[in-house]
Amino acid sequence: QVQLLESGGGSVQAGGSLRLSCTTSGRAVHTYCLAWYRQAPGKEREGVATISIGGITNYADSVKGRFTISRDSADDTLWLQLNSLKSEDTAMYYCAAVRQSFLVSDFCSDFKNYNYWGQGTQVTVSS
């Protein structure tokens, strides 16, 4: 089982940047795919970015070229760098995890596979 704890959210003006982090704990976290999701008020939760244990990344079209996901192999911390923020990026951001499967191609890239969740950190972008 994996435990996830997000931090780094806050309020920023449009065009600004933030860096979110997710501290992970539990057994064999290095064998887990990691991801970021977000949920805006009144909307469903949506996938933002994923990263495999080998560092392969995948992004939602809405954040490509602006957000960067990364993971630190030393302590399995997950990061999300948010640049060129827009008001529509305002949401609660969650990190997520799932044990990587090598039986299915692009397993980590599929946002539907994730089953461990953090509590979230709020990002508010003002225009």
Side-chain angles (χ1 to χ4, degrees):
Q1 195 159 356
V2 176
Q3 292 79 45
L4 307 166
L5 181 63
E6 305 91 338
S7 62
S11 297
V12 63
Q13 290 192 327
S17 298
L18 281 173
R19 192 182 193 201
L20 307 183
S21 64
C22 175
T23 303
T24 67
S25 60
R27 293 186 63 183
V29 177
H30 63 279
T31 66
Y32 282 69
C33 313
L34 299 174
W36 288 98
Y37 290 71
R38 66 186 181 186
Q39 187 168 19
K43 295 188 177 181
E44 293 188 355
R45 185 163 53 190
E46 63 174 351
V48 173
T50 66
I51 187 166
S52 71
I53 61 174
I56 297 173
T57 59
N58 176 57
Y59 295 92
D61 289 342
S62 58
V63 306
K64 279 182 182 176
R66 300 189 298 122
F67 291 7
T68 302
I69 188 172
S70 60
R71 65 191 293 171
D72 186 335
S73 59
D75 61 7
D76 291 310
T77 298
L78 178 68
W79 304 92
L80 185 68
Q81 178 69 41
L82 297 75
N83 295 331
S84 302
L85 282 161
K86 306 175 182 179
S87 57
E88 51 263 44
D89 295 319
T90 294
M92 186 72 77
Y93 283 72
Y94 300 89
C95 67
V98 64
R99 178 76 62 90
Q100 181 153 347
S101 169
F102 296 97
L103 300 178
V104 178
S105 63
D106 299 325
F107 180 81
C108 293
S109 298
D110 190 341
F111 288 114
K112 297 189 297 294
N113 290 329
Y114 289 78
N115 56 359
Y116 291 99
W117 302 91
Q119 295 299 307
T121 185
Q122 178 68 37
V123 172
T124 302
V125 184
S126 58
S127 56

